Amino acid sequence: MPPVAQDGNCLIYRGSNFFKQRLILSVLSGKPVKITQIRSEDEANPGMREYEIGLIRLLDKLTNGTKIELNPAGTSVMFVPGLLHGGQLHHDCSCQRSIGYYLDVLIALGPFCKIPLNVTLRGITNSKDSPSVDHMKGAALSVLKRFLVVDEGLELKIVKRGVAPLGGGEVLFKCPVRKTLRSLQFTQQGMVKRIRGTVYACKVSPAMANRTVETAKGVMLKFLPDVYIYTDQNRGKMSGNSPGFGICLLAETTDDVVFAAEVNSHTKDESNKDPSIPEDMGKEAALRLLDEIYRGGCVDSAYQWLVALFMTLGQKNVSKFMTGPLSSYTVHFLQHLRDFFSITFKLENPENEEDDDAVAGAQKVLLTCVGIGYTNISKRFI
């Protein structure tokens, strides 16, 4: 959705969609953003949700000089970004969204802080609404490493697990700072060489995890012989505040591309659904991973937007990156990049595939752009 209006340097949007995208790009571009009519049509519960306010608080901790104005009903917010500072932070995430919702922001902004990030986040580590920490550790960090070149000081560690709805998990994220990101030409995804995975179990029988592993492994071994799935059994204080279990599978290629897929058990809040069956979850996760591999490209589909962001911020050279079919989230992100940075991408189908493949949804997209030469202005580099 394009901005409704532009008041000088300030972009004005309506509605609650793509709230996180707009705030990330506002901080990086230095352009103020005003978002109005946030769920104003919802008479029972209008305005921003708790997790969105938590996101603004995190950005406030992350920056110096940010100004935020909310109207009393919470249906309008004016966000004037300050300078990225970083450093050591602690943040309690809302249990309406998982930690992954907030980690997206830290991964996007981390390289441009003044002081390397050392952030402790508390909340839900695994849920259905956002990529889990396991998913991000495999898929998102592999993207970040490509653009940082040297990944010394980059770490994402699960200290304690906590599943929905009550959370109780804890995650540590460290990110180094860089003066510039490199421009990248990456169009070969390589062949899948191994499958790795993690099955976690919190406050449930260890048999649940073992049954999930057996089924997922049975499906994946038909595809590839090198399959190893770890079990992460959590007890006592290390298992969070809610029972649950789930699986995250990662496929690594010969060119270090990582595809990910995950399935989490139903929570006790979802009383209208039948209890989760480990065998069904293992099979579903394996089939989702095979679907992700089939879509192809050089990045997991959940992090196409991160590639587009780093290509935009790269040095003033041509960057090329191959992805699978673009998700609707990525399409809107490209539109927002045009609003904030006046940059447009060239999108093409490099293989000129037949229409049959296009209908099946397996067509590749080659993203091409010239970076804006974004420089980390928060830190002095010698």
Side-chain angles (χ1 to χ4, degrees), residues 112-178:
F112 307 105
C113 290
K114 182 177 182 181
I115 301 170
L117 279 182
N118 184 346
V119 184
T120 302
L121 298 172
R122 298 185 190 91
I124 296 170
T125 55
N126 301 77
S127 78
K128 295 175 184 177
D129 55 55
S130 300
S132 69
V133 180
D134 302 282
H135 187 143
M136 300 185 81
K137 193 171 182 178
L141 291 200
S142 68
V143 171
L144 187 53
K145 285 175 187 176
R146 286 196 185 283
F147 288 91
L148 289 179
V149 186
V150 181
D151 62 340
E152 188 180 341
L154 184 62
E155 182 185 0
L156 179 55
K157 180 181 174 186
I158 299 174
V159 181
K160 288 192 288 187
R161 281 197 188 272
V163 300
L166 299 178
E170 187 174 310
V171 169
L172 176 69
F173 176 64
K174 294 181 180 179
C175 182
V177 294
R178 289 287 176 270

Side-chain angles (χ1 to χ4, degrees), residues 20-21 24-25 27-28 62 84 102-113 117 136 140-141 144 173 175 181 303 305-306 309-310 313 333 374:
K20 180 168 62 174
Q21 288 187 12
I24 289 173
L25 294 176
V27 171
L28 287 170
L62 201 63
L84 278 166
Y102 301 87
L103 263 178
D104 276 348
V105 175
L106 297 177
I107 287 174
L109 301 179
F112 307 105
C113 290
L117 279 182
M136 300 185 81
L141 291 200
L144 187 53
F173 176 64
C175 182
L181 296 181
Y303 286 97
W305 68 270
L306 193 63
L309 175 66
F310 289 156
L313 301 177
F333 193 77
Y374 190 86

Side-chain angles (χ1 to χ4, degrees), residues 341-366:
F341 291 107
S342 303
I343 190 167
T344 51
F345 280 73
K346 180 183 178 185
L347 308 179
E348 53 190 327
N349 182 350
E351 298 170 0
N352 295 319
E353 291 167 334
E354 298 298 324
D355 289 342
D356 294 346
D357 259 358
V359 172
Q363 72 274 25
K364 307 283 193 299
V365 179
L366 183 62

Side-chain angles (χ1 to χ4, degrees), residues 245-257:
F245 63 103
I247 176 170
C248 178
L249 295 176
L250 303 172
E252 299 174 33
T253 77
T254 49
D255 285 333
D256 295 328
V257 175

Side-chain angles (χ1 to χ4, degrees), residues 32-76:
V33 65
K34 185 175 185 180
I35 304 172
T36 61
Q37 298 180 26
I38 301 173
R39 301 187 185 88
S40 51
E41 72 288 343
D42 184 351
E43 294 179 6
N45 191 11
M48 294 166 65
R49 300 288 182 256
E50 184 186 320
Y51 66 88
E52 291 167 331
I53 293 170
L55 180 64
I56 288 179
R57 286 194 182 125
L58 177 61
L59 286 170
D60 193 31
K61 291 177 185 176
L62 201 63
T63 55
N64 272 342
T66 295
K67 294 177 184 172
I68 302 152
E69 293 176 17
L70 285 170
N71 70 345
T75 55
S76 175

